[in-house]
Structures are given as C-alpha cells and as structure tokens.
C-alpha cells in the first residue's frame, strides 16, 4: 500500500474504527502515515467534542409567542377550514347554484326575488373569501 | 417491528404537535421550539463558528419553521425539515458575511505531500490541536466544511445531512472525506509553520 492510498483510507475512517489489515501493516512501517492517523484521530475528537448550544431559559416560550404574534392569520386560517376542504366545496357549490338557477329560479325570480338575493349574496361572499384565502396562501409561499 | 412501532409513535406525536401548532396552541409551539432548539443551535454554532449569532439565527430558524408549517409535508420527518431550515438560515448568514469563495478543486490539487507530517502529539497539546482545528476549519471551503461539521454532530446521520444539503448520502460521505483531508492539510501546514526552521525529523 502506498502512502497516498493509506492516507485516503485514514480520511475515510472514523476515529474509533478498526484499522483494516493492509492499512495496519503499512502504518506499522511508515511513521509519516502513523502521524497522519494520529492527527486524524485528534481531528475527529476535536470535531465530535465541539460546542453544544444550550438554549437560554424561556427561549422556547419567547420564540413561540413571537411566531404567533407575527403570524396570527395563518393560525386563524387553518382553524376555520383547511385549503383542501375549501377547494372541494367551491366547485360543488357552483354546480348546485347553477342547477338551482336552471331548474327553479325562473319561477322564483318572478314570484319572489328574496331567496335569489340571498343566494347571490352568499355566493359573492364565498367567492370573495376564496380569493382572499388564495392570496394569503400565496403570500405564505413568497419569501 | 418494535423499531417500526416506535417510529410510528413518533410520527403520530409529531403530527399531533404540528396540528396543535397550526391551531395556534402556544404551549405546543413552545414544546416544538424546546424540543429542537438544542440541535438547531448546535448546527448553527458549529456551522458559523460564532456563538454570538446562534440565538438570533436559531430564532430566525424557528420563525421560518412556523411560517412554513402550514406547508409542511406530513410524510417528511419534522426534525430533518427543521434542520434543513436551520441550514438555509446558516447559508444566508454566511452569504451576508460575504466570505470570499475559494476554489475547492484547486485546494484539493494543492494538498500537501504525504511526507513531512509532524507528530501531532509531540507538536501540540490537545487545546492547541482544538484551536488548530477551529482555525483550520475556517479555511476549509463551505462546500466541504458544512458536511464535515454536521457529520460530527451526534444525532445527524448522512441521510439527514443529505436532505439538509440537497444531495444523496453517498455525496455527503465524499464531501466529508474531502473536507477532512483539506482540514488535515491546513493543520499540517499550520503545525509546520510553528516549527519553521526545524527539520521535520526533529519534531517527530
């Protein structure tokens, strides 16, 4: 085994790994590579025993409070209705409304405009809410 | 089987925690931060080497986590997703510092020859080696340095690091190997500079 191969092997080894036979034989006869092995061992120890961060007391509560303060719309948004349900309900509602208008609305419109007015108001509200909802979701995705 | 069961239990707990956070439960949000703060802070500290920025960047990470939580894919592992956000925060921070990019290929070509490596135990104490590792790491290009320091953190495996970096685990292994070689070269050159004027054999 050449020194370059041996040192590449050593770079791949973890600090406490068992050295394979051919590499061990080379190390026994090559002080330079043995020094490299020791150096890698020291590097591994230094790297694995590096700093570990301990969060300050109340860090979690402070960050959580800030997150909820700065993003209340997202929480409220989820609580009301999930986007999946919203997207499913919208087409269904439009189909139902179209059917209603095509089937019975002509008579209703002539006899009583109040139910039709309520239906239009509800649809307008729903469409408005849908667009607002999508704008909020889009804003979430932007940086 | 037991391992699988344990993982399913963790998944269920994670999903429940995410659900409560999305519902605006402040205790759940606090639990989420406290559960991952130590690891997130450690990732940031090791990657930046600057304890003065850890708290701010950790906070930035968790604010990013809460911003992204409505879009979190429940099939993913929460911890890996959070560490990935921490890694991106680190990258943004390092970019802002404007550290000049080195040419990794040139650095690898310029690796020191195999001969002339000083016995580290004879040349430096453990504290000195630790300092040399810190100084040497600062000179290793980001591309190799980050996988190397992440791989040394207890609890981060190659698969997780691969997800964080957006590369396969095999690539992480290669980057760690090259990073370690570069770091060794840096330390050898620093040790050699310390003993300048002496023959290498004197130090051995």
């Amino acid at each position: 085994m050449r020194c370059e191969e041996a040192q590449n092997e050593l770079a791949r080894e973890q600090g406490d790994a068992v050295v394979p036979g051919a590499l061990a034989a080379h190390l026994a006869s090559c002080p330079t590579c043995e020094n490299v092995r020791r150096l890698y061992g020291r590097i591994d120890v230094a790297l694995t025993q590096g700093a570990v961060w301990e969060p300050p007391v109340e860090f979690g509560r402070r960050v959580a409070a800030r997150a909820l303060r700065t993003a209340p719309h997202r929480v409220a948004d989820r609580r009301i209705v999930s986007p999946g349900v919203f997207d499913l309900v919208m087409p269904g509602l439009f189909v139902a409304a179209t059917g209603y208008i095509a089937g019975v609305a002509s008579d209703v419109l002539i006899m009583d405009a109040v139910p039709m007015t309520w239906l239009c108001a509800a649809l307008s509200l729903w469409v408005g809410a849908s667009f607002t909802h999508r704008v909020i979701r889009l804003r979430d995705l932007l940086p | 089987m037991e391992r699988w069961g344990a993982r399913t239990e963790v998944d269920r707990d994670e999903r429940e925690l995410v659900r409560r956070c999305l519902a605006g439960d402040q205790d759940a949000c606090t639990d989420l931060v406290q559960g991952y703060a130590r690891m997130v802070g450690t990732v940031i500290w090791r990657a930046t080497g600057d304890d003065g920025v850890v708290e701010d960047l950790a906070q930035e990470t968790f604010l990013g986590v809460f911003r992204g939580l409505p879009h979190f894919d429940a099939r993913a592992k929460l911890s890996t997703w959070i560490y990935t956000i921490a890694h991106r925060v680190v990258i943004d921070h390092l970019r802002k510092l404007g550290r000049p990019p080195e040419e990794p290929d040139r650095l690898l070509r310029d690796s020191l020859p195999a001969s002339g490596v000083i016995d580290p135990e004879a040349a430096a104490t453990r504290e000195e080696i630790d300092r040399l590792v810190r100084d040497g790491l600062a000179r290793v290009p980001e591309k190799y340095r980050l996988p190397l320091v992440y791989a040394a953190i207890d609890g981060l495996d190659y698969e997780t690091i691969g997800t964080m970096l957006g590369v396969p685990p095999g690539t992480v292994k290669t980057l760690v190997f090259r990073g370690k070689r570069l770091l060794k070269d840096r330390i050898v050159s620093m040790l050699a500079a310390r003993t300048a004027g002496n023959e290498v054999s004197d130090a051995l």
Side-chain angles (χ1 to χ4, degrees):
Chain A
M1 182 178 259
R2 290 183 300 125
C3 286
E4 193 181 344
E5 290 170 327
Q7 293 188 20
N8 282 342
E9 278 296 309
L10 289 169
R12 287 192 180 90
E13 297 290 335
Q14 290 299 312
D16 52 355
V18 178
V19 177
L23 180 58
H26 177 84
L27 292 175
S29 62
C30 177
T32 300
C33 288
E34 175 56 26
N35 283 343
V36 170
R37 188 192 65 78
R38 285 189 207 166
L39 182 55
Y40 275 130
R42 300 280 292 264
I43 289 172
D44 282 340
V45 170
L47 285 174
T48 52
Q49 294 182 349
V52 173
W53 191 64
E54 290 298 340
V57 183
E58 293 296 304
F59 176 77
R61 192 157 291 281
R62 204 170 62 234
V63 174
R66 188 173 162 197
L68 289 172
R69 206 168 47 240
T70 54
H73 65 277
R74 293 179 183 88
V75 173
D77 176 34
R78 266 285 160 145
R79 266 206 303 254
I80 293 167
V81 61
S82 75
V85 172
F86 210 94
D87 292 341
L88 270 176
V89 167
M90 277 301 288
L93 197 72
F94 274 114
V95 168
T98 309
Y100 177 75
I101 291 165
V104 295
S106 52
D107 295 339
V108 176
L109 268 177
I110 294 163
M111 297 181 69
D112 188 0
V114 174
M116 201 60 202
T117 310
W118 277 112
L119 181 68
C120 289
L123 274 174
S124 304
L125 268 173
W126 198 270
V127 169
S130 173
F131 276 108
T132 309
H133 180 260
R134 276 156 210 277
V135 167
I136 289 169
R137 284 179 71 190
L138 182 66
R139 200 178 60 177
D140 279 345
L141 294 171
L142 294 174
Chain B
M1 196 67 183
E2 192 181 292
R3 207 179 147 84
W4 171 253
R7 178 67 224 154
T8 310
E9 190 67 29
V10 171
D11 289 347
R12 201 179 305 129
D13 289 349
E14 280 185 354
R15 277 202 298 272
E16 175 61 15
L17 186 64
V18 169
R19 193 196 61 72
R20 284 173 55 211
C21 288
L22 286 169
D25 182 337
Q26 185 162 348
D27 288 339
C29 294
T30 305
D31 287 348
L32 186 143
V33 175
Q34 281 174 346
Y36 294 101
R38 194 168 189 256
M39 185 60 113
V40 164
T42 302
V43 163
I44 293 168
W45 194 353
R46 301 270 187 105
T48 60
D50 181 1
D51 63 334
V53 300
V54 179
E55 190 171 340
D56 283 349
L57 295 185
Q59 179 163 302
E60 199 180 314
T61 299
F62 283 109
L63 292 179
V65 166
F66 288 119
R67 269 198 305 275
L69 213 51
H71 313 291
F72 170 65
D73 182 352
R75 289 167 300 181
K77 207 170 160 192
L78 182 62
S79 57
T80 305
W81 181 68
I82 292 174
Y83 304 152
T84 305
I85 294 175
H87 170 69
R88 286 182 192 152
V89 167
V90 163
I91 293 291
D92 285 348
H93 172 75
L94 295 174
R95 298 273 186 277
K96 277 180 205 155
L97 290 180
R99 190 179 165 193
E102 294 178 71
E103 296 171 51
D105 292 339
R106 182 186 60 74
L107 292 167
L108 285 168
R109 274 203 309 275
D110 293 349
S111 284
L112 292 181
S115 60
V117 177
I118 298 162
D119 179 358
E121 283 159 25
T125 63
R126 190 184 152 174
E127 287 72 28
E128 285 171 328
I129 289 281
D130 287 349
R131 191 177 53 74
L132 288 170
V133 169
R134 274 200 306 275
D135 293 350
L137 268 176
R139 297 180 194 189
V140 173
E142 208 171 87
K143 179 182 175 184
Y144 301 106
R145 190 174 58 80
L146 295 181
L148 183 58
V149 295
Y150 291 161
I153 297 175
D154 192 25
L156 287 187
D157 54 24
Y158 284 162
E159 202 178 327
T160 304
I161 298 168
T163 307
M164 290 165 70
L165 303 176
V167 298
T171 306
V172 176
K173 210 169 175 182
T174 304
L175 293 171
V176 169
F177 157 68
R178 289 184 179 167
K180 208 191 254 189
R181 238 178 57 187
L182 284 169
L183 177 59
K184 183 262 294 175
D185 290 343
R186 297 285 172 281
I187 294 171
V188 167
S189 62
M190 285 188 280
L191 280 172
R194 280 164 44 125
T195 54
N198 296 335
E199 288 297 318
V200 171
S201 57
D202 290 343
L204 291 171

